[in-house]
């Protein structure tokens, strides 16, 4: 595990963007595992800036997103499809056919999960997985549980996740209660994992995830076992360490 401390959110984002950018420069046809949420926004913004300057080319990149809400169409403002297009894909030259997210409106969700796993294996696997961490320790939408779920699955979101996501919706009632997420095995099979974390509200869970017991009750704790795991956090995120 490699830990890098950034002075603030902007420095964390720039460091993360540097690692993603190095990945794409060294392997233009990289498969990037991507994440949504407020944490990676600055990273995407920085990558867009470097793309506009001509420093990075995403034309051969394939993206695999971690998760999507069930019941939200790809055009819904709070869907992760929409988030990714608005905050990243629409501003770079990734090919539309190389962009992948689970379909939260699929009528056969079980099949959608299986198809998503098949798609990930068809790409040859994820080269670099970008992750945030939830205040409950989730990665993707792998919520605290009694067992690690290996593959893509449907998950009921915890109260803490629903509460935390309420900030993006006008009403708590509108926040989806379930999602499709890639599983822990898929995340752990990524060749490299890069976790970014900012803010004081993540400090205790981050400490527990990095140095506590490895347990499905804190899904991010499994990352301690990954052979190429990098964490970049700002000072506040590391304030409990
Ligand atoms: P956040 O979410 O970046 O919005 O804090 C992180 C996560 O839930 O993985």
């Amino acid at each position: 595990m490699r830990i890098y401390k950034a002075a603030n959110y902007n420095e964390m984002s720039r460091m993360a963007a540097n690692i993603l950018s190095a990945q794409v420069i060294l392997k233009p046809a990289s498969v990037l595992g991507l994440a949504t949420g407020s944490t990676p926004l600055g990273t995407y913004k920085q990558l867009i800036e470097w793309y506009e300057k001509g420093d990075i080319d995403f034309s051969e990149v394939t993206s695999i997103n971690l998760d999507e809400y069930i019941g939200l169409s790809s055009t819904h403002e709070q869907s992760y499809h929409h988030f990714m297009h608005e905050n990243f894909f629409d501003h770079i030259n990734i090919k539309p056919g190389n962009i992948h997210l689970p379909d939260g409106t699929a009528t056969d969700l079980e099949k959608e999960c299986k198809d998503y796993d098949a798609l990930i294996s068809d790409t040859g696997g994820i080269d670099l997985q970008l992750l945030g961490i939830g205040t409950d320790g989730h990665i993707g939408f792998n919520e605290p549980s009694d067992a690690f779920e290996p593959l893509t699955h449907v998950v009921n979101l915890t109260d803490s996740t629903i509460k935390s996501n309420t900030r993006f919706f006008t009403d708590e009632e509108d926040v989806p209660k379930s999602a499709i997420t890639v599983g822990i095995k898929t995340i752990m099979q990524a060749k490299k994992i890069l976790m970014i974390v900012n803010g004081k509200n993540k400090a205790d869970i981050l400490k527990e995830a990095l140095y506590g017991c490895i347990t499905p009750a804190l899904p991010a704790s499994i990352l301690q076992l990954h052979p190429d795991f990098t964490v970049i956090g700002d000072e506040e995120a590391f304030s409990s360490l």
Side-chain angles (χ1 to χ4, degrees):
M1 171 163 58
R2 278 181 297 269
I3 297 185
Y4 295 108
K5 193 164 166 182
N8 51 41
Y9 179 79
N10 284 344
E11 192 178 299
M12 175 200 80
S13 303
R14 208 167 50 247
M15 287 165 84
N18 261 309
I19 292 176
L20 280 152
S21 151
Q23 172 69 40
V24 174
I25 290 167
L26 290 170
K27 185 179 175 189
S30 287
V31 179
L32 301 180
L34 297 180
T36 49
S38 2
T39 315
L41 278 174
T43 305
Y44 295 145
K45 197 160 167 256
Q46 181 65 78
L47 287 171
I48 293 167
E49 232 176 273
W50 288 337
Y51 164 73
E52 286 170 348
K53 279 166 84 182
D55 291 343
I56 325 174
D57 174 15
F58 292 94
S59 62
E60 290 180 53
V61 164
T62 295
S63 71
I64 305 278
N65 260 81
L66 285 165
D67 44 20
E68 179 57 286
Y69 287 121
I70 288 177
L72 298 194
S73 73
S74 57
T75 53
H76 189 289
E77 271 205 356
Q78 294 307 335
S79 74
Y80 287 167
H81 278 76
H82 187 265
F83 175 100
M84 288 307 298
H85 279 276
E86 176 148 295
N87 294 299
F88 194 34
F89 298 146
D90 288 355
H91 310 281
I92 58 170
N93 65 336
I94 189 168
K95 292 193 181 90
N98 288 353
I99 295 172
H100 306 288
L101 289 98
D103 177 3
T105 60
T107 40
D108 186 344
L109 290 169
E110 206 171 304
K111 181 172 181 302
E112 175 61 18
C113 291
K114 282 209 175 95
D115 290 351
Y116 204 63
D117 283 330
L119 177 114
I120 296 170
S121 67
D122 286 351
T123 64
I126 294 166
D127 290 301
L128 175 58
Q129 175 67 59
L130 179 66
L131 290 177
I133 182 173
T135 47
D136 62 358
H138 72 209
I139 44 177
F141 269 139
N142 290 277
E143 298 283 37
S145 149
D146 295 338
F148 290 113
E149 283 270 2
L151 299 174
T152 301
H153 58 284
V154 170
V155 66
N156 291 322
L157 303 179
T158 60
D159 289 345
S160 126
T161 298
I162 294 169
K163 211 171 217 70
S164 160
N165 291 350
T166 304
R167 67 202 146 116
F168 301 114
F169 292 79
T170 32
D171 205 314
E172 185 169 335
E173 281 305 292
D174 299 335
V175 186
K177 309 292 182 286
S178 56
I180 297 183
T181 181
V182 301
I184 293 292
K185 183 174 163 194
T186 307
I187 292 174
M188 288 298 281
Q189 279 179 337
K191 294 180 189 86
K192 295 178 191 150
I193 296 183
L194 170 60
M195 174 179 267
I196 48 177
V197 194
N198 71 288
K200 206 160 178 47
N201 63 331
K202 302 274 179 75
D204 290 343
I205 200 75
L206 180 63
K207 178 182 175 195
E208 208 45 42
L210 300 184
Y211 297 109
C213 295
I214 296 169
T215 163
L218 201 173
S221 62
I222 191 95
L223 300 170
Q224 294 176 36
L225 299 177
H226 194 279
D228 193 332
F229 173 42
T230 301
V231 185
I232 305 175
D234 70 352
E235 275 188 13
E236 286 188 352
F238 285 133
S239 58
S240 294
L241 289 182

